[in-house]
Structures are given as C-alpha cells and as structure tokens.
C-alpha cells in the first residue's frame, strides 16, 4: 500500500508514526512525480519537525459502541503533580470546543510542576461535547467543586453552555478565578478576575463597553473581533479605569492574550500569573516573596502568511512572501512559479500558535508535490475577509490564486457565533475563483467518525457545513481530526490526497484553454427505460443541452460536429445507428473490458458482495461493461446508469440500500480515467450518484458517492425549488449546484363539463330570483355536477333522482350554487406549472404575470407589504381571511367576491408587466416606474398609476396609489429577478473555474430571493428553524386540523397522528411542518441568546386547552441528512411530554408510551421514540421504485418495505446512530388514527413525484391496527394564501382534474415532445401509487384518463409517435391498475389496451 502517497513520505520522515489510514491508489500523474520527490526531499532536509506537531500516535479505527458521537475521555487530559513537595497545588479545570489546547495546557502544567518553586498545578480538561456523557458530566461537577480556576473558550452550543453554567455558576464565588473567552453570553457572564467581571462590561460608564459598542457600530465586529481590537488599544483604555480595576482588567486582557498565543510558554505564563495574584493558597505561600515577572505574551501578528518551512515564522506582506517563496522555496521543491497553479489556503491561527499544525503541513506538502504554489494565510479572529483581500491579490489588484481552500471549516466572516454571508460572498466574487471549505473533525476522533454511519457530528454540520455553504463554499471534505489520546490534529491521508486532487482539478479549469477542456454532460434515465432517458424535474433536457452546446461553442470549447437541433441530439444519444431503427439499445460510446474495469476501479471488488463479479447483467453486453452516450469533440453526453435494483423485489426489501452495480462504477471510471473529463455537468433534478450508500455528511473513502466522483469537479443543474436534494448533491457528491427555473405556475382553468358548470352558475347569478328560470338552471347545475363527479366533493349535493329545485327555497338554491361554484373556483385557480423549462430561456411576459400574481397574493408583514387581495378586500370593508372562509364554505357572495379580487389582481399585475413588454411578448428590460419623471408628471395632473387604475376598473374604486405602492415596488423588483437570465452564464462560470454566487433555494413565490436562477443553491442555517413566524402558522394549521377532526368525531380528539416530514418543505416554509409536530405534542421551540433554535419546553396543559396528541414522525432521508438537529429537538420534546406527570386522558403520548413500555419491556423513555427515518445513507421506502418499475407482488410487499426501510429510530440519548426499531415503529403505528402530510408548493403536488405516496403509511396503519380500521388521511395545502386542510381523496381528485385530465396541462406537456409524454405517464403511474398505498383514488380518474389518452385515436397516435416507450408504459399502467383491482372498466376497454400493447411492442421492436 502506498503510504500517504509521495509527498506524505515527507511528513513521515519528520517523525510521524505510520498512519493507520492509507490510500490504495495514487491519483498523482506521473509527470509530477519528480516534483513530488523534490518536495519530499526539501521538507525532510528543512526539518519541519522542529516547529510542527508531527510526533504523534495514530491508532486504527475501532468500532464505537453506545450511539454517542464523542466517546473520548477527559482522563487523558488530567495532570496531577508527581511530587508537589511543600508547594500549594492550584487546580485548573478547562472546557474547550476544540482539542488543540490540550497539548499546550498539558505541557504548561508539567513545566510548572517541574520548574516552579511557588506552586504545583493539577489540571484537567474537557471537550465541550464530552459533557453530554452522564459519567463525564458527573466527573466535571466533582472537578469544578474542588477547583481553584475555571477556564472556558468557544462554548457556543446552547444546551452544553447551559450545562457549564449549571455547574460553574453556583461555585463561582468559591472559585479564585473564572476565565471565559469568547462564548455564549450566559457563559461570558461567569467571568471573575478579582473585581473584574463581565457585568462591568455592561455598565453604562464602562470604557470597555463603550469601545466594544463603537467597534460593533463601525464595522459590524463580532465579539471576538472586538476583543482583539481592544487588546491592541489596551494601554489607552486602562488609564481611564480605577487602579484596582485596571489591574484586574489588565490581568483578564493579558490572560486572553496568553490564551490566544496558545503555546506552552504562553499558557505557563497565564497559569503562573493567575495563580500568584488570585489563588488563595498560592498568594499566602508567596507572602514576603518576590512575584515572578511574566514574560510578555509571544504573539504572532493578527494576520499574515505562514509557511511551515519558511525561515521567518510569518510574512506580513505577500511581496516578502513571494520573494522568498518563488526565488528560494519553489526551485528547491521542483515547482515552476511561472506556470504552477496557485492555491490559497485559509488557516486557523490557534493551530499555528499551539504548533498543532500537522494537518495544515500535510495538505501544503500534497499540493506542492503536485506542482502547485500555495498561499497559506491566517487571521487572529474569525473574519478572514481582510487577509483574503490583503494577500490573495498582486500589487496590480489581480488575483494571485486559482482556487481557495478554507481549512478552518468556518464561515469566511464570523465563525460559529455570527456571520456576514453577504460580505463573504462579495469578497469571494471579487476574487472569483472556486472556494472549497474543508472540515477538520472537532467533536470526534477519526475512530469515532470512521465508525459512525451518520458521519460528521450534527453540530459541526450546522456550523461548518451549512454556514459556509451560504457563503458559496463547495466540497465539505473531512481532511483532519483529533487523535483520541493526545487531542492532536492529524491528517487523514486519503482525504488529504482527495482534497489536493480536487483543488488541482478546479485550478486546471481556470488555467486550461477552453478548446482543450473535456466536459462530460451526464443525463439520467429514471425509471430505467429508453422512454425515460433525459429525466429531470420540469426541464426540457435535450433542448437545454442544445442551448449549453451552443454556449460552449461560443466560448471556444470543441463541440465537434454536435447538431444544433434538439431532435438530432436526442436521436444520437437514444439510438445505436448500427442497430435497428428505434432499437431498444441506446448508443454505445465505449465498451470497457472487465480487465480494464478492475484495473481502473480500485473498489470494484467491494461491489461483488451485492452484484457478483463483473460484468454482471446491468449496462453489460455479457463480456464488457457498456457506457451509453455520444461524444462530440471534447464534449461527451452520457447516460448515468440506474440504481439497478428497481425491479428486484428482494433488493427493494433490504433495510439498507445496495452498493452501485458494476455498470454504474464503470460509467464514472470511464468519465475520469478513459474520457479524461476535466469536469462533469450533471443535467437536472436528479440522478442517483448523490443517493448512493455512505455516510450522511462527511464522506469517507469507503462511501460510494465519494468513490464514484473521486477527483472530478462536478457542476449540477438543480431545480431552484428543490434545495434539500440539491444540498445532498453538494455534500455527498461534491457538486457545485446551478439552479434552474421551474416553469411558471398558471391557473389550471376549466374544460368540458367544469367549464359548462361555470357558465351555468354565471347565468344563475343573473336569474336567481326568477322563479321560472332560476330553479331550471339549478337542476342543470346539479345534473352537470354529478356528471363531473363533484358529488364526491360536495357532501349534500342533491340526489339526481326525484330532485327538482323549484321545490327548494332561494337560500337552499344559493347554497347549492355557492358550493358548486367554490369547487369550480378551487379547480380553476389551482396553480400548475405548464410545459417544461429550457435552460437559459427566461419566461415570457405572460408567464411572468402568472408568477407575479402568485407573489402578490401573500402578505409580507416583515417587509411591511400587504398582498393585493388584502388591499382590495379592505377597500370594500372586508377582511380577506373572512372572504376565504366564506368561499371555502360555498357562500355564494364570498365566492363571487373572491373571484372578482382574483381577476382584479391579475389585471393590476398585467398593467405593471405590460409597461416593460416588447413586441415579441418578452420582458427584456424592466422600467423603473417609481423614479420616473413621467410618474411625477402623471401625479401632478391627477392620473392614477396603471395598476391602480386596473383595480378601479375591476370594481374596487376605493383603492389608492399610496396603498398599492409598497406591493408594486416589491413586484417591480421581483419582475427584474424573474426575467434575469443567469443559467447559462452560471454553468460557464463553474466550467471556467470561477466563483458562482450563492442563492437560497425554495419556492420563488414565498421567497423571491431564490431568483434569479443560475446561482449556487444552498439550504438554510438549520439552527434557525422553526422560525417564530413558522411556529405561529403551524399552530394555526394544527388548531384547524384538530377542530376538523373533533367536529367529525363527536368532539373527540385523535390520539395519534402519523406525520411525514420533507426536507424541501421545511426549507421553503422555515420549518412549518416541523413546528406542527411540536404543536400537536404541546411543545414549544425556544431560541437561545444567539437566535438559534435548540431547546424545547412543554406548554402547560391548562394553557394548551386540549390533550397532547401522540405523533409518529417519518422523516425523509433528505430531512434526516439536513435536519438531524431538529430530529433531536422533536425527540427531546416528545420524551419530555412522555415523562410528564399528567393524566393519561390528557396526554396521549404518555398513555401510549406507558402501554408500549409494558408491551416491549423497555423504559417509558425508550418506548417514547417517535422520530423515524431510513438507516444512514439510505433513502425512501423504495415503494415508489417498486411501483414505477412494476416490481412488486402485492400490497403486503410494499407495506413490508415501508416498515423495514423506514423503521430506524432517532434517539437523542444516542445521537450518533439511527437504530433499527421495527417493533417499536409498528407498535407506535398501531395507535394511529390519522395520517397527515403537507403540500407547500404549487410546483410539486402529490401526483408529480412518487415521494408523497412512497412515504404514506395509510394502508400500513390499517394492517397494523387491532380493529383493522383505515385511518383518516389528510393533506394540509398551504400553496396559496388561502390555506386549507383536505382529505387525501379530495386532494387526489383535485390534482387529477387540474393536471392529468386537464387539456391545459397535457397539451402544454405534449408541446415539448418526447419529454412531455413521459411527464403525462409519470402522473398516471403516481396516481396508481396512491391506489396502492392509500386506496384513495376514485374509479372515474382512471376511466376519464382512459377516455382522454386511449379512446381518442388521434391522441393515441400522437403519443405513440412522440415517445413510443413512454406510451407503452402508459398502456401498461392502465392494464396494471385494472389487474390489481384499482380500476373497474368494460371488457371492451381492456381488450383495446391489450391490442394496443402488442401494437406498441411491435413498433418499438421495429417489426
């Protein structure tokens, strides 16, 4: 085995022990091996070991037990004097976030014990995370109880800050000194050095407080930045303080300086100074003796360039650095400074101070061994933007670096406490190079991380992955961690290799000429079938590829003879020209022999456990592995293979997902090592790479996403409305995402009988009091409503037989008309995305209007903006929520008024957009109407703004320009964002090795900051949710839900509700559905002093006013990956409720937990586990895969899959693992009365994707309940301002009427051709999915779909000609729905479908 590759030899010669983790393969090109040897020799001859922490022991990974992330032991940090002699012993207890201070504190204590005549030191240290362990916490209490001095630093985790305060605060007065350096405010207040406390800092006359406030106002400094600036101006400050306080304040500030210095010498001075001045026994023993005069703190400059083999410790200008580096270091290291790529590296100063820098040295050596120059910079505080500006540009202001790697793991500006993401992104965009943020393990040793299925500790994910992503960082690769016994930082060899390889590849994208770059465009086929090649959510894939090829060509890339026609591109990929016309075989780009495959794929043998030896039968011709695709010049368009187990019932049942198959591995091996791609562009939402087995976050070298992508830079086009799965792609497959727009949502409109119904109601409104005509129209309305199957949605719709409206009162006729009208309006106003998006094509003016109308619906109180509907309702003396309620209840006047408001809103928005629309119906440039001279002139002559005039004309004369101004100023801004076009430029920025600006993902209607698209999408700070606004909305939804359920159940509340939580929904709504779970349990989330949500408290029963409802929470795999801290929050809250001493009839959580504890013979706390998901690294119940591929026997198989794959419990008491708890999962589901999901976006509804039914437990619960009663299934629809709770069957009907059966939808899809047929078939298949999992699809849905797509010969032919494979799947779905008993129809229909199937098969086979 190669040990740490070539450059690693340099480190090992310096005294490091043999590393426990080694890479099997060197990816370093042979051409730079000479350079590596020179670098090795240079590092060896310069004896870096004299200044670096390289002498350490690294043990092999061992399996960790007990489910805790951190299992290290404070006893490793306990120093007790071997011989105190007659000296008083001072006991120090310290708590730190990271372990780099351990060796310095240990050395300082030992030096004092060996050399001081005045005192001895007993010292013990705790890593903050260790305090979660009960035994460690008890020992911590004992240690503090007999300590003299407590020291704390960077205590920024709320629940652990509370633990520290709980122990130290009661003992503060008896402690001789308490020194707390930047931490949570409540911990900072524990400070005590003589008369100096942090309370003094808060006094109004405090010079220090004034200084801190002033600095904050001047430059937005964080607390730590302010402290550092204060240190520099210390002499000026102290002369204003009283002498005694000045001495104590000076001691505190000097202590902080020594602490920042971090070396054993500095910490020795700190301990001696505090001991002789403040520790009672030491002070007494020194009476009459001369005090030791401390050495001044040995401090490095606040910011500088550091290099491990430089003759000077640091360089304060880059001129001096490069003078040494280019002229002396590079020649000796074999680096050509003229042609070498340059990598900027951001370091944490504390590691340099404490000489705990091996992990930094190792990466520098690796990069230099590859022929790169490095510029390693540090900052004394946690704002690295200054050093970036100072050291990464030359004297002409031109960037020196080609890539930047942040090795601190922190956000660029602000670290763990407070961030300035906007400033960070601006600084990085100015530099305009790829920005990678690698992560050192803080709370885990390598052994613990290696053994953890979850991977990186959740707190680190929140602080050191999520926050840097908001800056625009990519690639959170774990590269270092602490060694368990010593606390030293150690590099992980294969991770450092990978990081160096990837940094070099990104640098090459910046340096290499475009005409020489090789780009691999990867498209998806899901479910695997020729009719599905080019699958991506709402994206016209081949039209978009055409646009990308055109742009590549214009920028000098070699695209060979690529056609400029969508159909021709599609044909070249889909069909093998040497095979029959319309062959089932895709175009074969490469056949890889098994010898070549095993030679080039280092992990190929590991796949044999699941798939046997290569080549296997997937992506194989029996002898070779087959890569599908087509090459044009230096661009390869390839088809990513599928998971491989979609049609295999046994594999679908596995609790954990299988490894990729050989064909999948061969595809990525081909891209990297045969085609030699410089970058891969993954095309659309989404493929399988990022969902392959492995850790959740913080991949190791054995995780499959990491193995597959290896060193390839990856750009990934992802739908802007799907930030959760995009984030998985960023973290697990190291992809930089480029967001794309989903098609604008338009009103569904009406058709056939529904349209006729609206016309009848319109006639009735004019003739309702006409005793002759009025009743006759109502009779027609009732008859047509039955024809349209609306009887299922209107409970008291009169029966057709024997009904005559002339026998009814006017009020009853109005009631019928109102309820039918409400249903019609619900269908007509339902939003649906029309057609598919093409990358780089901004929406038309009409499409922009559709989007803006939806944006204008919502009130935005935080911005002082009222939505247009609220303004219009208010102008006629009504409240919009009241109108919505009346509309939903079918009150005719409110339904009419609601429609009038909707129409006037649309007219007003149209008036805005028309001002900027060109002759082609597109918005090229948005005119600014709020600054125009014409607007001022118009106001002078009394003319209204065009949008105000539009609503006046629409019947709302009381509306004024002033009231409309805020919302229309906002809509003007939104219009600019909607029509901006940055998608193609965004792709090119990544392929050209530039920095792509970050942007949030989510629903552009709720959050227009998602626009413009074409930016690097991120999720949100997970510690920020649920927000207060989300909690308020959630409590309102829960109130409505429980009222509805109690009304339908004689006032009785449900005892248990099964809940599904999704990642994207919670990002878009800032945690609304998460807050709903807590609200049902009667638990409230609580924010800490920094605004982070990481506590919960019980709402007292008397305040709650109802019982606590039990919940069974099924979290998607994506939610688990992104929001494990929130799973912790839910679990703690539910267990808090289960352990509350309350009556069982008022606390159903406790009631069920007590019963289950007895049944399963466990404690009540263990029985109260209610938060479930997949095992780490696995996703979905595979129910969707089974249904999409037909690979299932019966419903019991689907239910078994759900229970097996989703039955892993999250337990806050063991947060380091997802534990299989199938019995507890079943026991909890047995009690469920209601299943519940949320719909939060008009773009993705319940038949658009398989996710919703994949996680639906309705029939699972029915099978488990003792009474076999089917639970009620409900959906909360918050897609519009008029939020509603509907039954699942109502929602399925609404979705079918507005999409599958709606000509506006299916004609819009068919207009895009091949992809459109697939989109229609997907919705039919997903509709059948709801039959399988919930049994909530009405027969008429299949019957009407058959009438639209099969009965009509012309439609049949269109589908067959456009995408025969997808049409065959449609025919199969109808036959399967009938065969499985979900659709009753005539023999004639079945015979027609069987004949059609045979005909299509022949067509596809070319017969």
């Amino acid at each position: 085995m190669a040990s740490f590759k070539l450059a690693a030899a340099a480190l090992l010669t310096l005294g490091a022990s043999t590393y426990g983790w080694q890479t099997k393969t060197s990816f370093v090109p042979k051409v730079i091996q000479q350079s590596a040897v020179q670098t090795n020799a240079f590092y060896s001859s310069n004896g870096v070991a004299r200044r670096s922490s390289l002498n350490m022991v690294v043990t092999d990974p061992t399996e960790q037990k007990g489910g805790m992330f951190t299992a290290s032991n404070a006893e490793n940090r306990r120093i007790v004097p071997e011989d105190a002699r007659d000296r008083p012993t001072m006991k120090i207890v310290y708590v730190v976030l990271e372990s780099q201070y351990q060796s310095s504190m240990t050395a300082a204590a030992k030096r004092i014990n060996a050399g001081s005549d005045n005192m001895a030191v007993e010292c013990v240290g705790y890593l903050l995370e260790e305090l979660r362990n009960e035994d460690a916490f008890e020992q911590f209490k004992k240690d503090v109880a007999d300590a003299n001095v407590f020291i704390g630093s960077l205590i920024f985790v709320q629940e652990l800050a509370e633990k520290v305060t709980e122990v130290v605060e009661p003992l503060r007065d008896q402690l001789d000194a308490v020194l707390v350096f930047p931490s949570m405010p409540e911990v900072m207040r524990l400070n005590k050095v003589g008369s100096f406390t942090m309370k003094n800092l808060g006094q109004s006359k405090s010079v220090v407080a004034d200084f801190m406030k002033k600095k904050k106002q001047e430059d937005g400094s964080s607390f730590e930045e302010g402290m550092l600036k204060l240190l520099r101006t210390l002499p000026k400050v102290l002369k204003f303080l009283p002498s005694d306080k000045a001495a104590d304040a000076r001691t505190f500030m000097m202590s902080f300086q020594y602490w920042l210095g971090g070396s054993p010498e500095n910490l020795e001075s700190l301990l001696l100074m505090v001991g002789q001045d403040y520790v009672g026994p030491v002070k007494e023993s020194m009476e009459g003796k001369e005090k030791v005069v401390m050495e001044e703190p040995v401090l490095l400059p606040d910011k500088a360039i550091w290099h491990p083999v430089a003759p000077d410790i640091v360089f304060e200008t880059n001129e001096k650095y490069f003078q040494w580096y280019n002229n002396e270091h590079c020649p000796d290291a074999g680096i050509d400074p003229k042609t070498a790529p340059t990598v900027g590296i951001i370091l944490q100063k504390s590691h340099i101070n404490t000489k705990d820098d091996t992990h930094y040295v190792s990466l520098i050596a690796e990069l230099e061994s590859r022929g790169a120059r490095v510029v390693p910079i540090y900052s004394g505080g946690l704002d690295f933007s200054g050093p970036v500006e100072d050291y990464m540009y030359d004297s002409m202001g031109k960037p020196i670096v080609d890539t930047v790697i942040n090795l601190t793991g922190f956000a660029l500006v602000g670290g763990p406490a407070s961030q300035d993401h906007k400033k960070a992104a601006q600084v990085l965009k100015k530099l305009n190079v790829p920005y990678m943020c690698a992560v050192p393990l803080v709370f885990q040793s390598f052994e613990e991380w290696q053994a953890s299925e979850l991977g990186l500790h959740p707190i680190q994910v929140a602080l050191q992955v999520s926050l840097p992503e908001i800056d625009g960082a990519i690639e959170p690769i774990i590269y270092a961690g602490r060694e368990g016994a010593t606390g030293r930082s150690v590099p992980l060899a294969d991770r450092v290799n990978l990081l160096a390889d990837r940094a070099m590849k990104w640098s090459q994208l910046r340096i290499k000429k475009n005409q020489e770059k090789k780009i691999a465009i990867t498209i998806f086929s899901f479910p695997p079938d020729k009719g599905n090649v080019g699958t991506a959510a709402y994206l016209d894939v081949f039209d978009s590829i055409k646009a990308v090829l055109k742009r590549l060509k214009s920028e000098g890339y070699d695209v060979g003879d690529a056609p400029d026609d969508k159909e021709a591109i599609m044909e070249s990929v889909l069909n093998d020209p040497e095979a029959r016309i319309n062959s089932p075989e895709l175009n074969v780009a490469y056949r890889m022999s098994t010898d070549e495959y095993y030679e080039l794929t280092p992990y190929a043998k590991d796949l044999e456990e699941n798939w046997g030896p290569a080549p296997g039968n997937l992506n194989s011709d029996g002898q070779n592995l087959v890569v599908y695709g087509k090459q044009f010049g230096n661009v390869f368009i390839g088809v990513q293979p599928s998971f491989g187990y979609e049609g295999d019932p046994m594999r679908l049942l596995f609790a954990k997902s299988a490894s990729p198959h050989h064909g999948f591995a061969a595809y990525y091996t081909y891209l990297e090592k045969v085609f030699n791609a410089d970058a891969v562009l993954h095309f659309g939402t989404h493929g399988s790479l990022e969902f392959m087995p492995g850790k959740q976050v913080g991949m190791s070298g054995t995780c499959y996403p990491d193995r597959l992508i290896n060193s390839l830079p990856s750009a990934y086009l992802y739908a802007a409305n799907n930030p959760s799965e995009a984030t998985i792609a960023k973290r697990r497959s190291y992809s930089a995402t480029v967001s794309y727009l989903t098609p604008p949502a338009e009103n569904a409109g009406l058709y056939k009988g529904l349209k006729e119904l609206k016309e009848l109601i319109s006639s009735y409104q004019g003739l309702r009091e006409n005793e002759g005509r009025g009743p006759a129209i109502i009779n027609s309305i009732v008859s047509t409503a039955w024809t349209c199957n609306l009887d299922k949605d209107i409970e008291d719709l009169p029966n057709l037989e024997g009904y005559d409206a002339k026998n009814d009162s006017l009020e009853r006729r109005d009631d019928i008309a109102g309820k039918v009208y409400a249903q019609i309006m619900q269908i007509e106003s339902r939003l649906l995305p029309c057609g598919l998006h093409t990358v780089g094509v901004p929406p038309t003016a009409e499409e922009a209007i559709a989007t803006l109308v939806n944006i204008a619906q919502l009130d935005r109180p935080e911005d002082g903006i009222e939505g247009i509907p609220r303004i219009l309702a208010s102008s006629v003396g009504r409240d919009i929520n009241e109108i919505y309620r009346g509309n939903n209840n079918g009150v005719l006047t409110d339904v009419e008024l609601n429609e009038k408001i909707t129409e006037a809103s649309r007219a007003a928005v149209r008036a805005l957009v028309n001002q900027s629309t060109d002759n082609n119906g597109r918005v090229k440039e948005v005119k600014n109407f709020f600054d125009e001279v014409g607007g001022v002139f118009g106001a002078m002559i009394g003319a209204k703004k065009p949008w105000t005039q539009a609503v006046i004309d629409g019947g709302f004369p009381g509306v004024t320009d002033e009231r409309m101004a805020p919302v229309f100023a906002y809509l003007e801004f939104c219009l600019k964002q909607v029509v901006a076009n940055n998608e193609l430029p965004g792709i090119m920025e990544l392929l050209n090795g530039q920095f792509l600006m970050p942007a949030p993902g989510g629903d552009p209607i709720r959050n227009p900051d998602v626009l413009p698209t074409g930016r690097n999408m991120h999720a949100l700070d997970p510690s920020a949710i649920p927000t207060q606004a989300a909690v308020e909305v959630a409590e309102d939804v829960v109130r409505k839900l429980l009222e509805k359920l109690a009304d339908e159940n004689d006032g009785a509340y449900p005892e248990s509700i099964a809940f599904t939580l999704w990642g994207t929904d919670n990002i878009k709504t800032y945690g609304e559905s998460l807050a709903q779970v807590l609200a049902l349990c009667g638990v409230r989330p609580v924010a800490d002093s920094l605004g982070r949500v990481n506590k919960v408290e019980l709402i007292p029963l008397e305040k709650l006013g109802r019982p606590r409802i039990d919940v069974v929470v099924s979290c998607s795999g994506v939610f688990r990956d992104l929001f494990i801290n929130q799973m912790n929050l839910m679990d703690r809250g539910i267990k808090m409720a289960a352990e509350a001493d309350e009556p069982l009839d008022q606390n159903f959580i406790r009631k069920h937990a007590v019963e289950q504890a007895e049944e399963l013979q466990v404690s009540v706390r263990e029985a109260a586990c209610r938060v479930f998901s997949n095992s780490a690294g696995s996703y979905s119940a595979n129910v969707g895969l089974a249904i999409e591929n037909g690979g299932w026997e019966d419903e019991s198989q689907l239910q078994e899959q759900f229970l097996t794959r989703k039955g892993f419990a999250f337990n806050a008491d063991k947060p380091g693992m997802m534990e299989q708890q199938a019995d507890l999962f079943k026991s909890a589901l047995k009690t469920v009365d209601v299943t519940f999901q949320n719909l939060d976006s008009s773009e993705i509804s319940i038949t658009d994707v398989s996710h919703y039914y994949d996680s639906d437990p309705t029939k699972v619960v029915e099978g488990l309940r003792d009474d076999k009663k089917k639970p009620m299934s409900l959906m909360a629809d918050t897609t519009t301002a008029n939020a509603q709770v509907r039954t699942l069957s109502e929602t399925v009907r609404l979705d079918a009427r507005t999409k599958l059966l709606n000509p506006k939808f299916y004609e819009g899809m068919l207009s895009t051709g091949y992809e459109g047929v697939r989109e229609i078939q997907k919705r039919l298949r997903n509709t059948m999915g709801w039959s399988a999992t919930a049994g909530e699809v009405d027969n008429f849905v299949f019957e009407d779909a058959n009438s639209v797509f099969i009965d009509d010969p012309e439609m049949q032919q269109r589908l067959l000609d456009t995408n025969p494979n997808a049409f065959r799947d449609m025919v199969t779905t109808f036959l399967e729905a009938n065969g499985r008993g979900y659709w009753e129809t005539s023999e004639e229909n079945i015979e027609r479908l069987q004949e059609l199937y045979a005909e299509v098969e022949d067509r596809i086979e070319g017969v």
Side-chain angles (χ1 to χ4, degrees), residues 848-864:
I849 289 167
T851 301
L852 290 182
V853 166
N854 300 326
I855 290 172
Q857 261 198 351
L858 302 179
D859 298 321
R860 300 175 197 271
E862 65 279 9
D863 298 316

Side-chain angles (χ1 to χ4, degrees), residues 480-495:
R482 57 182 179 79
E483 198 279 314
T486 66
R488 290 282 192 185
S489 295
V490 285
L492 179 57
D494 76 316
R495 304 290 80 203

Side-chain angles (χ1 to χ4, degrees), residues 124 178 277 282 291 315 318 368 478 521 578 748 754 803 829 931 952 1028 1142 1176-1177 1185 1197 1210 1255 1319:
V124 62
V178 178
D277 287 345
V282 178
K291 284 188 177 181
F315 301 87
N318 56 13
E368 291 184 342
I478 308 294
I521 294 174
E578 294 178 20
L754 298 171
Y803 175 74
S829 61
D931 294 336
I952 291 171
Q1028 187 53 41
E1142 295 173 343
L1185 285 178
Q1197 180 199 320
F1210 177 84
S1255 289
E1319 291 292 325

Side-chain angles (χ1 to χ4, degrees), residues 678-690:
D678 291 288
V680 57
L681 173 58
H682 288 100
F683 219 88
T685 306
H686 57 73
S688 308
L689 170 67
E690 62 269 38

Side-chain angles (χ1 to χ4, degrees), residues 1162-1184:
V1162 294
S1163 69
V1164 169
R1165 187 170 179 82
E1166 287 175 286
C1169 280
R1170 292 289 185 271
V1171 182
F1172 296 88
S1173 186
N1174 297 81
S1175 68
S1178 294
Y1179 300 85
S1180 93
N1182 281 351
V1183 171

Side-chain angles (χ1 to χ4, degrees), residues 832-942:
L832 69 146
C834 283
L836 300 171
H837 177 67
T838 297
V839 167
V841 178
T844 63
E846 280 302 311
E847 291 166 339
I849 289 167
T851 301
L852 290 182
V853 166
N854 300 326
I855 290 172
Q857 261 198 351
L858 302 179
D859 298 321
R860 300 175 197 271
E862 65 279 9
D863 298 316
I865 296 168
E866 293 179 292
I868 298 177
R870 184 169 300 282
I871 294 171
L872 301 189
S874 175
S875 76
V876 294
R878 296 288 304 278
D879 176 73
I880 190 64
N881 295 330
E882 197 183 285
I883 295 170
Y884 288 151
R885 270 194 298 276
N887 175 85
N888 298 345
N889 292 329
V891 177
L892 187 56
T893 50
D894 284 342
V895 179
E896 290 170 348
L897 181 54
N898 190 32
E899 188 185 8
K900 190 175 167 185
I901 287 171
T902 303
E903 291 303 318
S905 300
R906 182 171 285 274
V909 171
R910 183 179 297 283
L912 171 76
V913 176
N914 281 348
Q915 308 266 339
S916 299
T917 304
D918 65 15
N919 294 333
N920 297 319
R922 292 198 175 271
V923 179
K924 293 285 172 61
E925 189 179 342
V926 179
K927 292 179 183 170
N928 190 332
F929 306 110
F930 289 87
D931 294 336
E932 280 197 342
V933 176
V936 175
F937 179 73
M940 287 169 62
I941 61 170

Side-chain angles (χ1 to χ4, degrees), residues 573-584:
V573 174
L574 288 185
N575 290 319
D576 182 346
E578 294 178 20
R580 293 185 299 275
I581 295 170
N582 285 333
S583 149

